[in-house]
Amino acid sequence: MKPLTEQDIRSSFVNCSKGEAKRLFVPHDLADRPWDQLDFLGWRDPGALDRSYLVTERSGGPVGVTLRFPSQQRGFTHRSMCSLCLTTHPGNGVSLMTARKVGPAGREGNSVGVYICADLACSLYVRGKKLPGPGARFEESLTVEEQVARMNGQVAAFLDRLHS
């Protein structure tokens, strides 16, 4: 992924108003992010614990979506799998995140959901740069490049559902 500036990020959001995009929290450590290892930039909002954001490159430019997730806590023995990177996590390590649809459907309250790693570090898990814990990544016969392509396909399919 190409490095993004705060302005790139704020102007990329497709499922919120320009005013909302102007007010949302953007990480201050953009210069320190491992951009060459990221397929999308994802972060949680420290001021609104039920919000997170995802920005990826699509059609030559960045596309961002605001996400919400439930605040309910799961037991540590419960395990869930991320729909994007296929990493399993105990407890709240994976969360159902919902995004308001784009356009009139979103203004009517329609949304789309997907199970994602709660820390939004899917790119790093797939590449083995971040370890989720024992037994959390299945050994696959796919190469890392094929796993990255699959994950990017899942992200693209999620974004496509926001426009339908």
mmCIF file of all heavy atoms in Angstrom, residues 8 23 26 29 33-34 44 46 49 62 66 71 84-86 106 113 115 119-120 122-123 132-133 135 141 159:
data_model
loop_
_atom_site.group_PDB
_atom_site.id
_atom_site.type_symbol
_atom_site.label_atom_id
_atom_site.label_comp_id
_atom_site.label_asym_id
_atom_site.label_seq_id
_atom_site.Cartn_x
_atom_site.Cartn_y
_atom_site.Cartn_z
ATOM 1 N N ASP A 8 -5.382 12.521 2.702
ATOM 2 C CA ASP A 8 -5.770 11.397 1.841
ATOM 3 C C ASP A 8 -6.823 10.550 2.542
ATOM 4 O O ASP A 8 -7.817 10.144 1.937
ATOM 5 C CB ASP A 8 -4.573 10.487 1.533
ATOM 6 C CG ASP A 8 -3.500 11.129 0.690
ATOM 7 O OD1 ASP A 8 -3.802 12.067 -0.062
ATOM 8 O OD2 ASP A 8 -2.337 10.679 0.806
ATOM 9 N N ARG A 23 -14.087 15.078 11.409
ATOM 10 C CA ARG A 23 -13.990 14.962 12.871
ATOM 11 C C ARG A 23 -13.423 13.630 13.361
ATOM 12 O O ARG A 23 -13.032 13.526 14.514
ATOM 13 C CB ARG A 23 -15.372 15.167 13.498
ATOM 14 C CG ARG A 23 -15.903 16.577 13.369
ATOM 15 C CD ARG A 23 -17.209 16.748 14.103
ATOM 16 N NE ARG A 23 -18.274 15.854 13.649
ATOM 17 C CZ ARG A 23 -19.118 16.116 12.650
ATOM 18 N NH1 ARG A 23 -19.011 17.236 11.976
ATOM 19 N NH2 ARG A 23 -20.048 15.251 12.323
ATOM 20 N N VAL A 26 -7.749 10.187 13.332
ATOM 21 C CA VAL A 26 -6.770 9.607 12.408
ATOM 22 C C VAL A 26 -5.491 9.376 13.207
ATOM 23 O O VAL A 26 -5.058 10.259 13.949
ATOM 24 C CB VAL A 26 -6.504 10.553 11.210
ATOM 25 C CG1 VAL A 26 -5.392 10.013 10.327
ATOM 26 C CG2 VAL A 26 -7.775 10.747 10.400
ATOM 27 N N ASP A 29 0.642 8.319 13.990
ATOM 28 C CA ASP A 29 1.886 7.640 13.639
ATOM 29 C C ASP A 29 1.910 7.156 12.184
ATOM 30 O O ASP A 29 2.519 6.140 11.875
ATOM 31 C CB ASP A 29 2.124 6.465 14.589
ATOM 32 C CG ASP A 29 1.073 5.377 14.457
ATOM 33 O OD1 ASP A 29 0.001 5.631 13.850
ATOM 34 O OD2 ASP A 29 1.316 4.263 14.965
ATOM 35 N N ARG A 33 4.064 3.695 10.085
ATOM 36 C CA ARG A 33 3.341 2.481 9.697
ATOM 37 C C ARG A 33 4.153 1.682 8.678
ATOM 38 O O ARG A 33 4.823 2.252 7.818
ATOM 39 C CB ARG A 33 1.970 2.832 9.091
ATOM 40 C CG ARG A 33 1.023 3.524 10.042
ATOM 41 C CD ARG A 33 0.462 2.543 11.041
ATOM 42 N NE ARG A 33 -0.307 3.213 12.066
ATOM 43 C CZ ARG A 33 -1.485 2.787 12.487
ATOM 44 N NH1 ARG A 33 -2.032 1.698 11.985
ATOM 45 N NH2 ARG A 33 -2.106 3.439 13.441
ATOM 46 N N PRO A 34 4.068 0.341 8.712
ATOM 47 C CA PRO A 34 4.798 -0.494 7.740
ATOM 48 C C PRO A 34 4.028 -0.582 6.419
ATOM 49 O O PRO A 34 3.475 -1.617 6.061
ATOM 50 C CB PRO A 34 4.869 -1.849 8.448
ATOM 51 C CG PRO A 34 3.622 -1.893 9.278
ATOM 52 C CD PRO A 34 3.386 -0.468 9.721
ATOM 53 N N ARG A 44 -8.587 1.524 15.340
ATOM 54 C CA ARG A 44 -9.719 1.742 16.227
ATOM 55 C C ARG A 44 -9.682 3.171 16.733
ATOM 56 O O ARG A 44 -8.624 3.766 16.857
ATOM 57 C CB ARG A 44 -9.671 0.762 17.388
ATOM 58 C CG ARG A 44 -9.892 -0.672 16.892
ATOM 59 C CD ARG A 44 -9.869 -1.666 17.979
ATOM 60 N NE ARG A 44 -11.061 -1.543 18.799
ATOM 61 C CZ ARG A 44 -11.478 -2.482 19.624
ATOM 62 N NH1 ARG A 44 -10.809 -3.598 19.730
ATOM 63 N NH2 ARG A 44 -12.548 -2.291 20.357
ATOM 64 N N PRO A 46 -9.798 5.611 19.622
ATOM 65 C CA PRO A 46 -9.650 5.571 21.077
ATOM 66 C C PRO A 46 -10.693 6.406 21.815
ATOM 67 O O PRO A 46 -10.937 6.194 22.995
ATOM 68 C CB PRO A 46 -8.240 6.124 21.317
ATOM 69 C CG PRO A 46 -7.948 6.952 20.127
ATOM 70 C CD PRO A 46 -8.698 6.323 18.978
ATOM 71 N N LEU A 49 -15.088 3.788 21.551
ATOM 72 C CA LEU A 49 -14.644 2.394 21.591
ATOM 73 C C LEU A 49 -15.430 1.448 20.696
ATOM 74 O O LEU A 49 -15.017 0.313 20.485
ATOM 75 C CB LEU A 49 -14.652 1.902 23.035
ATOM 76 C CG LEU A 49 -13.731 2.694 23.970
ATOM 77 C CD1 LEU A 49 -13.813 2.148 25.389
ATOM 78 C CD2 LEU A 49 -12.304 2.671 23.465
ATOM 79 N N PRO A 62 -7.438 5.904 -2.662
ATOM 80 C CA PRO A 62 -7.866 5.335 -1.384
ATOM 81 C C PRO A 62 -9.379 5.381 -1.208
ATOM 82 O O PRO A 62 -10.037 6.326 -1.650
ATOM 83 C CB PRO A 62 -7.156 6.217 -0.353
ATOM 84 C CG PRO A 62 -6.868 7.495 -1.051
ATOM 85 C CD PRO A 62 -6.748 7.177 -2.505
ATOM 86 N N THR A 66 -16.147 3.697 7.531
ATOM 87 C CA THR A 66 -16.281 3.698 8.987
ATOM 88 C C THR A 66 -16.962 2.405 9.384
ATOM 89 O O THR A 66 -17.864 1.923 8.697
ATOM 90 C CB THR A 66 -17.113 4.905 9.476
ATOM 91 O OG1 THR A 66 -18.426 4.821 8.917
ATOM 92 C CG2 THR A 66 -16.465 6.210 9.086
ATOM 93 N N SER A 71 -20.166 -3.772 21.716
ATOM 94 C CA SER A 71 -19.311 -3.652 22.893
ATOM 95 C C SER A 71 -19.403 -4.881 23.795
ATOM 96 O O SER A 71 -18.733 -4.942 24.815
ATOM 97 C CB SER A 71 -19.689 -2.406 23.694
ATOM 98 O OG SER A 71 -21.041 -2.495 24.084
ATOM 99 N N LEU A 84 -11.482 -12.083 6.736
ATOM 100 C CA LEU A 84 -10.536 -11.540 5.767
ATOM 101 C C LEU A 84 -9.248 -12.345 5.700
ATOM 102 O O LEU A 84 -8.806 -12.748 4.629
ATOM 103 C CB LEU A 84 -10.212 -10.084 6.089
ATOM 104 C CG LEU A 84 -11.388 -9.113 6.171
ATOM 105 C CD1 LEU A 84 -10.892 -7.709 6.447
ATOM 106 C CD2 LEU A 84 -12.236 -9.171 4.923
ATOM 107 N N CYS A 85 -8.617 -12.574 6.853
ATOM 108 C CA CYS A 85 -7.298 -13.226 6.863
ATOM 109 C C CYS A 85 -7.325 -14.666 7.383
ATOM 110 O O CYS A 85 -6.310 -15.337 7.369
ATOM 111 C CB CYS A 85 -6.308 -12.398 7.679
ATOM 112 S SG CYS A 85 -6.664 -12.315 9.450
ATOM 113 N N LEU A 86 -8.473 -15.120 7.842
ATOM 114 C CA LEU A 86 -8.665 -16.484 8.360
ATOM 115 C C LEU A 86 -7.809 -16.777 9.588
ATOM 116 O O LEU A 86 -7.389 -17.910 9.810
ATOM 117 C CB LEU A 86 -8.426 -17.536 7.277
ATOM 118 C CG LEU A 86 -9.268 -17.393 6.003
ATOM 119 C CD1 LEU A 86 -9.026 -18.566 5.076
ATOM 120 C CD2 LEU A 86 -10.745 -17.236 6.307
ATOM 121 N N GLY A 106 -27.654 3.718 2.867
ATOM 122 C CA GLY A 106 -26.984 3.988 4.133
ATOM 123 C C GLY A 106 -27.715 5.024 4.958
ATOM 124 O O GLY A 106 -27.805 4.920 6.178
ATOM 125 N N GLY A 113 -22.174 -6.298 7.270
ATOM 126 C CA GLY A 113 -21.257 -6.719 8.317
ATOM 127 C C GLY A 113 -20.252 -7.750 7.840
ATOM 128 O O GLY A 113 -20.477 -8.458 6.855
ATOM 129 N N TYR A 115 -16.879 -10.261 9.774
ATOM 130 C CA TYR A 115 -16.062 -10.586 10.948
ATOM 131 C C TYR A 115 -14.608 -10.257 10.629
ATOM 132 O O TYR A 115 -14.047 -10.772 9.660
ATOM 133 C CB TYR A 115 -16.201 -12.059 11.318
ATOM 134 C CG TYR A 115 -17.508 -12.356 11.989
ATOM 135 C CD1 TYR A 115 -18.608 -12.789 11.255
ATOM 136 C CD2 TYR A 115 -17.662 -12.169 13.358
ATOM 137 C CE1 TYR A 115 -19.822 -13.044 11.872
ATOM 138 C CE2 TYR A 115 -18.868 -12.417 13.985
ATOM 139 C CZ TYR A 115 -19.944 -12.855 13.233
ATOM 140 O OH TYR A 115 -21.150 -13.093 13.858
ATOM 141 N N ASP A 119 -8.148 -5.931 16.047
ATOM 142 C CA ASP A 119 -7.055 -4.958 15.943
ATOM 143 C C ASP A 119 -6.778 -4.533 14.501
ATOM 144 O O ASP A 119 -5.890 -3.727 14.241
ATOM 145 C CB ASP A 119 -5.784 -5.484 16.597
ATOM 146 C CG ASP A 119 -5.242 -6.744 15.935
ATOM 147 O OD1 ASP A 119 -5.815 -7.214 14.924
ATOM 148 O OD2 ASP A 119 -4.231 -7.270 16.436
ATOM 149 N N LEU A 120 -7.534 -5.086 13.548
ATOM 150 C CA LEU A 120 -7.419 -4.761 12.123
ATOM 151 C C LEU A 120 -6.005 -4.948 11.575
ATOM 152 O O LEU A 120 -5.571 -4.238 10.668
ATOM 153 C CB LEU A 120 -7.922 -3.337 11.864
ATOM 154 C CG LEU A 120 -9.413 -3.185 12.164
ATOM 155 C CD1 LEU A 120 -9.671 -1.889 12.904
ATOM 156 C CD2 LEU A 120 -10.224 -3.258 10.906
ATOM 157 N N CYS A 122 -4.865 -7.630 9.958
ATOM 158 C CA CYS A 122 -4.935 -8.801 9.083
ATOM 159 C C CYS A 122 -3.725 -8.928 8.159
ATOM 160 O O CYS A 122 -3.187 -10.019 7.981
ATOM 161 C CB CYS A 122 -6.212 -8.758 8.254
ATOM 162 S SG CYS A 122 -7.728 -8.708 9.223
ATOM 163 N N SER A 123 -3.295 -7.820 7.564
ATOM 164 C CA SER A 123 -2.143 -7.854 6.639
ATOM 165 C C SER A 123 -0.901 -8.410 7.324
ATOM 166 O O SER A 123 -0.128 -9.153 6.722
ATOM 167 C CB SER A 123 -1.837 -6.451 6.118
ATOM 168 O OG SER A 123 -2.918 -5.939 5.388
ATOM 169 N N PRO A 132 -0.592 -14.065 16.261
ATOM 170 C CA PRO A 132 -1.835 -13.999 17.021
ATOM 171 C C PRO A 132 -1.869 -14.912 18.238
ATOM 172 O O PRO A 132 -2.775 -14.819 19.043
ATOM 173 C CB PRO A 132 -2.890 -14.427 16.001
ATOM 174 C CG PRO A 132 -2.148 -15.346 15.092
ATOM 175 C CD PRO A 132 -0.744 -14.806 15.022
ATOM 176 N N GLY A 133 -0.924 -15.802 18.376
ATOM 177 C CA GLY A 133 -0.922 -16.747 19.494
ATOM 178 C C GLY A 133 -0.939 -18.170 18.977
ATOM 179 O O GLY A 133 -1.158 -18.416 17.793
ATOM 180 N N GLY A 135 -1.849 -21.734 17.734
ATOM 181 C CA GLY A 135 -3.008 -22.349 17.115
ATOM 182 C C GLY A 135 -3.948 -21.377 16.441
ATOM 183 O O GLY A 135 -5.057 -21.735 16.070
ATOM 184 N N SER A 141 -1.619 -24.551 2.413
ATOM 185 C CA SER A 141 -0.795 -24.907 1.266
ATOM 186 C C SER A 141 -0.627 -23.719 0.320
ATOM 187 O O SER A 141 0.205 -23.769 -0.580
ATOM 188 C CB SER A 141 -1.406 -26.101 0.521
ATOM 189 O OG SER A 141 -2.715 -25.771 0.089
ATOM 190 N N LEU A 159 -16.358 -4.278 0.301
ATOM 191 C CA LEU A 159 -16.583 -2.920 -0.214
ATOM 192 C C LEU A 159 -17.642 -2.911 -1.312
ATOM 193 O O LEU A 159 -18.455 -1.983 -1.381
ATOM 194 C CB LEU A 159 -15.271 -2.313 -0.704
ATOM 195 C CG LEU A 159 -14.219 -2.057 0.381
ATOM 196 C CD1 LEU A 159 -12.932 -1.544 -0.249
ATOM 197 C CD2 LEU A 159 -14.727 -1.095 1.436
#
